[in-house]
């Protein structure tokens, strides 16, 4: 298929060089999409239908066989050999069961090693004599060691995951999922499915995946390309609102206030305070005639625009045309016959432009936010009844700032500027947005994301128990309200496919202290995994634990409190153990990643050494946030976990 595309000759099929450039780019994208993946088979399953799908199921009707894979594959004649996993005919591979065989006589799973077919496993779903069993190949694929970035899960999607993946484009979905439930994979595969089912629409409107940090995005960046989807943009929230350079940081109290949804109303008040009702008429001179629009009529026009609640900039652009229309009405009454060109000319008249500038002046969003944060009186005027006096003092900058460029903006400030920018001019909306690790967003950050999908839909992924910011999400209903998707369906994944039973049971001791109402994850893996808590006296013993785990196949992560990372890096170097930073791709030679606890969220390793749990907790501003950070760190292991500690363990872990 790739060779067919590469052999296309477009020299005589394009009308001009522009068309040729566009076609060449499309062909290049198609070639990239058809790239081979080493050690990755083209198909992983087979369905034998009792009757041809869509055909009359009369007695004697012949069945049909389909091979299921990550990509559609056809032969030289264009006949399908492998059916895309997203096609409707593939759905029974994930949903069919002994109770509901969906007209499938046989479901076959194929097992591969290094790209070679090594096993297969059959289920005769319509045979009442055959008992339902757990698929050994499915278990083996789920537990397969991980080397390199996150991979697709098309061969192992479970029925409850498939329901979310195939939910329609029109509605938004929120997925609450504990560690190892596959919520990130579900979100990415939902994007792939929507691009398959609504390709033309999403090609026009665009799709976006939002992750918590750059390391996380590097970890997941190969999943969609592996499924042939190359056009999905990936970004962090900070990337979305990057209108100013972020060089400063906020303390937790200031960040909490700046991230509060009440700041949106403060900004709106401050912006529209620039609009002043006119007190003078506008006189337009055209040739020998003078046309006068009185102040009371100008005031009516301004009040009408304010009442419409449209964007500040759109209203400002509309006002000159409203004034010009009032002049044209006078011209018509005087017997003239002006047309649209005359109205446009009047709208550009210097007197009209001067009046509009005085009444509805242009406002720079960054300067507006800067004034709010540096002018106590201006902030007090527009935050009255919204923020308390103490809250206002918390967000005011201690020192005056000369200009927008010299200001040391924080990440929360950038979100405020994005909000102000949207008040002035509407933010472009995309067709679909996936928001992962959403539990750590502030209400104002939710609003920033929501602006990117006002006319589209969203997939929100997260775990309330893993919220590790002072402003972490309290409930999904509240978060979805800030996002502008209050009608989104909330789904909960509770079956753990990635985290071993002993590990998740140990980590779940923290749940009553960090998320009392949350259902603990129940591991469905047959392999209990490896788990051990070791008291150590020096860092060399932690390094030795890493060496021990590196003796296994797959990746290993050493997770530690951020302040401990330099110390452990030195100890690893002294021991001659090469290691990577989060986001860097593991290789066969270097399979150890040293991970600061603050960056561990969303990442997974076959084996994990967790250094000093108490240090992870103590590094956070309060105990609950610290325990949540610890919960995240404890649940990054896919096959085994070793906890090393010289200090006492947190008491919440020592009591089952």
């Amino acid at each position: 298929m790739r060779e067919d595309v590469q052999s296309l000759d477009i020299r005589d099929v394009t009308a001009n060089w522009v068309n040729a450039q566009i076609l060449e780019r499309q062909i290049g994208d198609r070639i990239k999409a058809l790239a081979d993946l080493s050690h990755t088979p083209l198909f992983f399953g087979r369905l034998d239908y009792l009757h041809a799908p869509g055909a009359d199921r009369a007695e004697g009707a012949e069945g049909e066989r389909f091979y299921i894979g990550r990509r559609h594959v056809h032969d030289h004649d264009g006949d399908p050999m492998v059916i895309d996993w997203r096609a409707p005919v593939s759905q029974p591979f994930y949903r069919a069961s002994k109770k509901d065989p969906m007209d499938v006589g046989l479901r076959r799973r194929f097992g591969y090693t290094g790209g070679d077919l090594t096993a297969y496993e059959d289920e005769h779903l319509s045979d009442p004599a055959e008992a339902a069993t757990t698929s050994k190949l499915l278990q083996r694929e789920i537990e397969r060691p991980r080397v390199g970035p996150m991979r697709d899960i098309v061969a192992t999607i479970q029925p409850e995951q498939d329901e979310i993946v195939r939910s329609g484009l029109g509605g938004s979905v929120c997925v609450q999922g504990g560690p190892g439930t596959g919520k990130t994979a579900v979100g990415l595969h939902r994007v792939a499915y929507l691009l398959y089912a609504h390709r033309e629409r999403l090609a026009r409107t665009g799709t976006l995946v939002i992750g918590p940090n750059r390391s996380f995005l590097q970890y997941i960046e190969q999943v969609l390309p592996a499924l042939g989807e190359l056009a999905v943009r990936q970004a962090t929230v900070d990337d979305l609102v990057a209108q100013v350079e972020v060089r400063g940081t906020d303390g937790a109290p200031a960040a909490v206030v700046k991230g509060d949804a009440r700041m949106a109303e403060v900004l709106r008040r401050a912006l529209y305070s620039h609009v002043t009702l006119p007190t003078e008429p506008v006189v337009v001179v055209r040739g020998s005639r003078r046309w006068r629009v009185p102040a009371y009529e100008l005031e009516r026009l301004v009040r009408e625009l304010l009442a419409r609640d449209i964007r500040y900039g759109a209203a400002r652009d509309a006002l000159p045309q409203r004034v010009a229309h009032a002049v044209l009405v006078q011209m018509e009454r005087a017997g003239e016959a002006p047309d649209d060109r005359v109205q446009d000319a009047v709208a550009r008249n210097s007197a009209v432009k001067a009046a509009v500038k005085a009444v509805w002046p242009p406002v720079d969003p960054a300067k507006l936010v800067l004034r709010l944060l540096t002018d106590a009186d201006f902030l007090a005027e527009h935050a009255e009844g919204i923020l308390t006096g103490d809250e206002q003092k918390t967000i005011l900058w201690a020192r005056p700032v000369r200009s927008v460029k010299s200001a040391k903006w924080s990440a929360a400030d950038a979100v405020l500027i994005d909000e102000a920018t949207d008040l002035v001019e509407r933010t472009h909306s995309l067709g679909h947005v996936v928001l992962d690790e959403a539990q750590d967003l502030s209400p104002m950050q939710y609003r920033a994301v929501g602006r990117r999908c006002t006319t589209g839909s969203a997939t929100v992924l997260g775990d309330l128990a893993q919220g590790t910011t002072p402003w972490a999400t309290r409930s999904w209903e509240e978060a979805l309200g800030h996002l502008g998707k209050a009608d989104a369906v909330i789904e909960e994944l509770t079956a753990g496919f990635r985290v071993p039973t002993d590990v998740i049971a140990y980590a779940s001791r923290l749940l009553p202290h960090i998320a009392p109402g949350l259902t603990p994850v129940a591991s469905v893996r047959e392999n209990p995994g490896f788990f051990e808590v070791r008291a150590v006296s020096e860092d060399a013993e932690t390094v030795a634990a890493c060496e021990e785990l590196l003796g296994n196949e797959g990746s290993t992560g050493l997770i530690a409190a951020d302040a401990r990372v330099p110390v452990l890096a030195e100890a690893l170097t002294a021991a001659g153990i090469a290691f990577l930073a989060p986001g860097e791709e593991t290789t066969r030679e270097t399979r150890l990643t040293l991970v600061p606890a603050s960056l561990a969220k969303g990442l997974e390793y076959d084996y994990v050494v967790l250094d000093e749990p108490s240090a992870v907790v103590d590094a956070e501003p309060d105990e609950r946030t610290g325990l949540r950070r610890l919960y995240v760190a404890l649940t990054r292991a896919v096959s085994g976990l070793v906890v090393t500690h010289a200090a006492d363990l947190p008491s919440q872990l020592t009591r089952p």
Side-chain angles (χ1 to χ4, degrees), residues 262 265-266 269 379-389 391-392:
R262 293 174 296 163
E265 177 60 20
V266 175
R269 285 187 186 180
L379 176 61
E381 178 185 354
H382 302 298
E384 184 179 359
I386 300 176
L387 302 180
T388 66
E391 287 174 327
Q392 293 175 35

Side-chain angles (χ1 to χ4, degrees), residues 201-223:
R201 177 176 172 183
L202 289 178
R204 294 193 306 270
T205 56
T207 50
L208 173 67
V209 174
I210 302 174
N213 53 58
R214 188 55 53 188
S215 296
F216 178 83
L217 292 178
Q218 289 173 339
Y219 177 62
I220 68 169
E221 66 182 356
Q222 296 303 319
V223 174

Side-chain angles (χ1 to χ4, degrees), residues 102-178:
M102 301 176 72
D103 199 44
V104 172
L106 180 142
R107 172 168 58 197
R108 173 170 288 179
R109 300 181 190 274
F110 295 97
Y112 289 87
T113 302
D116 295 328
L117 176 61
T118 54
Y120 68 88
E121 188 178 73
D122 288 348
E123 296 172 88
H124 297 87
L125 298 175
S126 299
D127 183 357
E130 183 178 289
T133 58
T134 301
S135 169
K136 299 294 184 182
L137 285 179
L138 188 62
Q139 281 291 137
R140 192 185 309 163
E141 174 63 22
I142 289 173
E143 298 173 8
R144 183 156 57 95
R146 311 170 66 84
V147 175
M150 182 179 180
R151 59 176 182 259
D152 66 80
I153 61 163
V154 289
T156 63
I157 294 174
Q158 299 299 293
E160 63 270 27
Q161 295 174 328
D162 191 64
E163 287 184 21
I164 298 171
V165 167
R166 295 178 193 265
S167 55
L169 179 60
S172 294
V173 178
C174 175
V175 182
Q176 158 64 40

